[in-house]
């Protein structure tokens, strides 16, 4: 377990900023408890400091997991977000898309979201922007990237793709083996 | 007549010159009046002529001006004769030389006399009569003279010790001889003055009487006139008849004028000037009212009298008369303008009027008369409008010139010369002129030359003088409220306003924009996209009406076609004639109006986001937002969101903008459901301002906006709703009770819509998202569920009777709340219901219930009355007394208290004994202290005594001064003094 290097931090935060924007500061400077990011076996974890201190006494090889996993660095140095960070993304999301109940399942199976399935969208969402998806009851069900801005969405036909799939809650079942 | 030529030249020059001087303008106007007959050229305006115009107001009105010329010539001759006579009796005003000399005398005389007077005071006491006269004279004299004399006084010595050379040379005898003469002169002058004044006033009265007489005569004439029907001949007759009267009047007024001329040189008291001025104004008033009433009696016949009012208005040197003239003209026009637009035939009709008999088109006599009347009316109205515009120009020019002059620091008094008015007077005139224009526009928007009035009124709605602009704005509002032209005029005004706004660079009075709020659009209006193409339907509709489709045409037979054509023509005519606007026309007009209103709004939003008018703009947008079309929705939201991001700084602006956005989104939400997050966070961050006392008026607006944002549909995230609830609850602690109550009921309303939010009432400490951030600007991240709604518990025991039941019900946390809410009032309604902004208590304070004793007394009385109905009279005499002691045990309050007292007595120590003990103790203490002191004194006394004896034995001591003492000791007085001294030592 170690701190993120400067380069890693840059890559990681750029990814996060795509979804939660400036709210990233709220994630780091929490009022209730100090939290931090740690790398363990290429995976980035969001841990409170108490747990982190305790985990320091565990040898690196035997430490399986700690805190909340946000994602992992690939071998080429890119960062991939994991579905486990959804709670935090949902809380601080800048742009949101609500999914209609009938196309929820389709999304959970890993498909992209069509215009027909979009229940609501935040005003002024630009194109190619990271968004968090919610069911109509405000339950987060994944995140993705928009293909069109809100303005353009108005004119689209129902079969056009609106949000590209990145992660969905269905992965908890599908990728159960590799997730943790 | 050389004057004629001069005037003609002048007129030419005036028309060429851009700035019209006052006299030239007069000439021009005269020319306007006299147009048609080119035979007579206007004379040069001299004072005489002005008077002449004034006096001959009735007489001048005939179209035939040759008579006038003759009359004037006659008049002049007679005038001259009169002047000669005047010279004999009065001080001549026309001849300046004589007058000047006289004035010099007048100026010098008082000085001389005063010198003499003072000398007399010192030396010659025998001439008391003379002195008295002098004193009287002095009293009569103008105060300015007196002041002047007093200033010179110190130079001369009253005792005669130091004298000026000139005075020393005068021996008393010479002075004696001189003095009576001077006095005589003085008195003569004074009497002359008085006489003149008297005569003037008499003449005025006479003139008034004569005018009255004249008027009566005219009235008689009018009666005769009715029998005959040709105007102009009669007018001539009237003129001739009136000739003599007119001459007299003219002379008199010349005299008055002479008085005016002398007033510059001759000191006239302020009061006299004022009186004279008043008189002039009064006469003008009566003239105006007479003329106006004459016109109104029979406008068709007497319309020519408008000319006379014009004459008074233009020629008068007095600003008040001018104002009155303008106003009365306005009033007259307001009354006589018909309820339709006059259709102007170019060429024919005017020709008819001038030549009288040339008729190309034959009309019946009545129609012809009506046409003539209309043409005259039009002409006069046009002249009036020209006059108004010119006056405005003059006023503005003068004001500009004045400001320039002030910069170059000339003396202000130089501006107030004869014939010129001060800057304030110009301002007043401007106000009146614009008032006329505005009232005419509002009362007769259908009439010709509307555009002129519209431009004037809109132009001056942004004028820097607040009075003028307020006047214009209020009139515009009136016009919007009741536009009889079905919106055409309003449309024109709106377009003009938007132009004016552009010219002023959008920095103008927000009230102008607020006038749009008065506009009412009916259901006919289609949704508007202000930047879209104009609605072509109307134009195409007009075309379609006239054309039939080819198919239909083919089906028709020849005869049918003919009939169809006829019908079409008839229809067209009918449409033109009908006063009612068809629904399609109205739709077109209203849509255009709405479009220009929106255009103005969005121009301001896009180009001048810092304009003062922004609040009004957003208010207007919020109000008319349901008329915005879908096509424009995207653009509008974009414009608004940029506005929200950067420029919105006040809470009402934010609220209005979000109301607009939410209303339009709600209206066109079916295309795409958007989450207006920016608006939420902006409003959330600014909502705290609501707690400020200065923002209390926004409360209703805020409640409406929040209702629209949160309360309408169940689609906002629970966290956000909770955040808003929490913030609003915090605010409710510092608002007045009615606002708090409204907020609480709003919270309850939200609880019903979002039942999940109710968990904010009870905080079980299981929330793990973090702490509540009350100062964060984003409602989504403030973790409202980490806190609880403790604010509402404060309202549990609120003094306001209406609050605590609502608070209790809100906190009751039951599912039946949804049933209850339906029957209750909305938060804004509650706010209004318990509004206390006008003072007092709302609801009013309850009158406390009667005391049980009183109730009992009433009962007793009633019982007695019932039981002893026979002895009613007796009972009335014997008053019923209720003895409290008999009721004593029955009053719960008293029993309670006595019980408490008894309990207390039993439990506690009796204080009485304690107090007595204390007293005894203190007394003892006092006594013991006294005793101690006395003992001390005793000891010292004995010591001293011993010392004294010892010293006496050795040396006899010198006696020391003894101080008196007041110690209340019981020892003997003789020993006391010595004792005291020793104590001090």
């Amino acid at each position: 377990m170690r701190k993120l290097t400067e380069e890693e931090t840059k890559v990681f935060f750029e990814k996060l900023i795509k979804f939660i924007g400036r709210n990233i500061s709220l994630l780091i400077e929490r009022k209730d408890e100090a939290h931090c990011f740690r790398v363990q076996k290429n995976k980035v974890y969001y841990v409170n400091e108490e747990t982190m201190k305790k985990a320091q006494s565990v040898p690196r090889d035997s430490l399986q997991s700690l805190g909340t996993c946000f994602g992992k660095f690939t071998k080429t140095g890119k960062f991939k977000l994991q579905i486990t960070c959804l709670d935090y993304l949902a809380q601080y999301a800048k742009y949101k898309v609500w999914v209609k109940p009938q196309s929820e399942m389709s999304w959970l199976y890993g498909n992209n979201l069509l215009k027909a399935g979009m229940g609501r969208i935040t005003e002024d969402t630009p194109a190619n922007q990271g968004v968090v998806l919610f069911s109509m009851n405000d339950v987060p069900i994944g995140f993705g990237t928009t293909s069109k801005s809100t303005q353009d969405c108005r004119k689209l036909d129902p079969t056009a793709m609106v949000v590209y799939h990145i992660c969905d809650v269905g992965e908890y079942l599908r990728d159960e083996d590799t997730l943790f | 007549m050389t004057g004629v030529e001069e005037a003609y030249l002048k007129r030419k020059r005036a028309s060429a010159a851009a700035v019209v001087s006052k006299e030239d303008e007069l000439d021009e106007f005269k020319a306007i009046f006299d147009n048609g007959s080119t035979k007579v050229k206007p004379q040069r305006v001299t004072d005489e002529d002005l008077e002449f115009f004034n006096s001959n107001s009735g007489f001048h009105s005939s179209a035939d001006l040759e008579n006038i010329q003759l009359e004037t010539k006659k008049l002049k001759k007679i005038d001259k004769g009169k002047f000669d006579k005047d010279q004999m009796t009065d001080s001549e005003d026309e001849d300046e030389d004589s007058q000047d000399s006289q004035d010099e005398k007048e100026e010098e005389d008082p000085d001389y006399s005063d010198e003499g007077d003072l000398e007399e005071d010192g030396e010659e006491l025998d001439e008391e009569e003379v002195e008295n006269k002098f004193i009287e004279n002095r009293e009569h004299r103008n105060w300015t003279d007196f002041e002047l004399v007093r200033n010179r006084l110190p130079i001369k010595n009253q005792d005669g010790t130091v004298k000026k050379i000139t005075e020393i040379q005068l021996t008393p005898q010479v002075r004696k001889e001189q003095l009576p003469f001077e006095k005589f002169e003085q008195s003569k002058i004074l009497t002359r003055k008085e006489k003149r004044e008297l005569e003037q006033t008499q003449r005025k009265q006479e003139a008034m009487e004569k005018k009255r007489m004249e008027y009566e005569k005219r009235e008689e004439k009018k009666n005769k006139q009715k029998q005959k029907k040709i105007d102009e001949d009669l007018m001539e007759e009237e003129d001739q008849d009136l000739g003599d009267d007119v001459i007299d009047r003219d002379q008199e007024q010349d005299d008055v004028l002479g008085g005016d001329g002398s007033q510059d040189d001759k000191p006239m008291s302020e009061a006299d000037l004022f009186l004279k001025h008043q008189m002039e104004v009064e006469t003008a008033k009566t003239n105006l009212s007479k003329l106006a009433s004459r016109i109104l009696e029979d406008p068709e016949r007497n319309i020519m009298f408008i000319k006379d009012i014009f004459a008074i208005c233009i020629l008068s040197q007095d600003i008040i008369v001018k104002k009155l003239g303008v106003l009365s003209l306005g009033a007259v026009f307001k009354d006589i303008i018909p309820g339709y637009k006059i259709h102007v035939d170019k060429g024919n009709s005017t020709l008819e009027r001038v030549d009288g008999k040339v008729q190309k088109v034959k009309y019946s006599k009545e129609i012809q008369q009506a046409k003539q009347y209309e043409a005259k009316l039009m002409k006069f109205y046009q002249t009036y409008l020209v006059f108004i515009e010119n006056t405005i120009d003059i006023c503005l020019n003068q004001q500009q010139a004045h400001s320039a002059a002030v910069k170059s620091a000339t003396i202000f008094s130089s501006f107030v010369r004869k014939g010129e008015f001060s800057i304030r007077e110009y301002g007043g005139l401007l106000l009146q002129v614009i008032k006329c224009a505005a009232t005419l526009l509002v009362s007769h928007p259908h009439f010709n030359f509307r555009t002129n009035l519209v431009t004037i009124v809109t132009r001056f709605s942004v004028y820097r003088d607040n009075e003028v602009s307020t006047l214009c704005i209020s009139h515009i509002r009136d016009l919007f409220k009741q536009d009889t032209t079905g919106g055409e005029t309003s449309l024109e005004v709106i377009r003009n306003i938007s132009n004016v706004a552009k010219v002023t660079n959008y920095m103008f009075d927000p009230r102008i924009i607020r006038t749009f709020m008065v506009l009412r659009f009916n259901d006919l209006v289609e949704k508007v996209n202000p930047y879209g193409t104009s609605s072509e339907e109307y134009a195409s509709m007009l075309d379609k009406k006239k054309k039939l489709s080819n198919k239909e045409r083919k089906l028709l037979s020849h005869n049918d076609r003919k009939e169809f054509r006829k019908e079409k023509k008839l229809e067209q005519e009918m449409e033109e004639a009908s006063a009612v606007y068809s629904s399609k026309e109205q739709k077109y007009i209203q849509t255009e109006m709405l479009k220009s209103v929106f255009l103005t709004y969005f121009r301001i939003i896009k180009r001048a986001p810092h304009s003062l008018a922004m609040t009004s703009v957003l208010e207007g947008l919020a109000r008319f937002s349901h008329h915005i079309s879908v096509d424009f929705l995207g653009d509008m939201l974009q414009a608004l969101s940029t506005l929200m991001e950067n420029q919105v700084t006040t809470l009402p602006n934010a609220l209005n903008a979000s109301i607009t956005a939410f209303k339009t989104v709600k209206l066109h939400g079916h295309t795409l459901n958007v989450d207006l997050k920016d608006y939420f966070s902006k409003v959330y961050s600014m909502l705290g301002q609501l707690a400020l006392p200065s923002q209390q008026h926004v409360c209703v607006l805020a409640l409406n906006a929040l209702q629209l944002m949160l309360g309408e549909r169940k689609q906002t995230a629970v966290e956000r709703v909770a955040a808003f609830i929490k913030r609003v609850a915090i605010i409710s602690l510092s608002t007045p009770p009615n606002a708090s109550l409204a907020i609480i009921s709003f919270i309850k309303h939200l609880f019903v819509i979002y039942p999940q939010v109710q968990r904010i009432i009870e905080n079980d400490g299981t929330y793990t998202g973090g702490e509540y951030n009350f100062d964060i600007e984003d409602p989504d991240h403030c973790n409202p569920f980490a806190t609880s709604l403790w604010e509402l518990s404060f309202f549990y025991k609120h003094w306001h009777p209406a609050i605590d039941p609502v608070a209790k019900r809100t906190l009751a946390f039951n599912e039946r709340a949804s049933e209850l809410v339906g029957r209750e009032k909305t938060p804004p309604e509650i706010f209004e219901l318990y509004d206390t902004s006008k003072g007092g208590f709302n609801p009013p304070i309850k009158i406390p219930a009667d005391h049980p004793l009183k109730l009992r007394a009433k009962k007793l009385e009633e019982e007695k009355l019932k039981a002893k109905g026979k002895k009613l009279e007796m009972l009335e005499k014997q008053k019923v007394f209720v003895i409290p002691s008999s009721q004593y045990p029955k009053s719960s309050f008293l029993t309670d208290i006595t019980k408490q007292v008894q309990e207390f007595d039993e439990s506690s120590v009796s204080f009485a004994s304690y107090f007595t003990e204390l007293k005894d103790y203190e007394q003892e203490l006092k006594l013991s202290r006294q005793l101690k002191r006395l003992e001390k004194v005793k000891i010292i006394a004995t010591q001293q005594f011993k010392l004294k004896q010892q010293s006496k034995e050795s040396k006899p001591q010198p006696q020391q001064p003894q101080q008196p003492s007041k110690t209340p000791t019981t020892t003997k007085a003789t020993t006391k003094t010595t004792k005291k001294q020793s104590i001090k030592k």
Side-chain angles (χ1 to χ4, degrees), chain A residues 23 91 94 119-121 123, chain B residues 673-675 677 715 717 781:
Chain A
N23 294 331
Q91 192 183 349
K94 213 176 167 195
R120 205 186 318 158
I121 184 170
E123 172 70 21
Chain B
N673 198 347
V674 288
D675 176 32
K677 195 186 166 190
Q715 53 176 218
H781 305 135

Side-chain angles (χ1 to χ4, degrees), chain B residues 542 544-548 553 560-578:
Chain B
L542 284 179
K544 267 181 196 170
K545 240 186 187 176
K546 287 165 193 168
K547 285 176 189 171
L548 270 178
R553 187 165 279 187
D560 283 347
R561 266 181 225 171
K562 254 190 181 175
E563 260 179 40
F564 180 73
R565 255 176 239 152
K566 264 187 191 174
E567 257 178 42
K568 220 167 60 181
K569 216 176 183 182
L570 200 74
E571 249 177 53
Q572 228 174 308
E573 276 173 11
M574 288 293 278
E575 227 170 74
E576 270 177 25
S578 69

Side-chain angles (χ1 to χ4, degrees), chain A residues 23 26 30-32 91-96 98 115 118-124 138 150-151 153-154, chain B residues 633-634 637 641 672-678 715-718 768-771 773 775-776 780-781 783:
Chain A
N23 294 331
L26 294 172
R30 278 174 68 149
K31 274 187 182 174
D32 47 350
Q91 192 183 349
Y92 297 112
K94 213 176 167 195
Y95 298 100
K96 297 174 182 177
W98 284 263
K115 164 86 190 293
M118 189 166 69
R120 205 186 318 158
I121 184 170
T122 307
E123 172 70 21
D124 284 344
D138 280 318
T150 310
Q151 287 290 336
C153 278
R154 287 177 211 282
Chain B
L633 179 67
L637 285 178
S641 62
L672 187 71
N673 198 347
V674 288
D675 176 32
L676 299 163
K677 195 186 166 190
D678 293 346
Q715 53 176 218
T716 319
V718 178
T768 52
E771 283 180 359
N773 304 318
D775 53 351
I776 220 163
D780 294 356
H781 305 135
N783 297 328

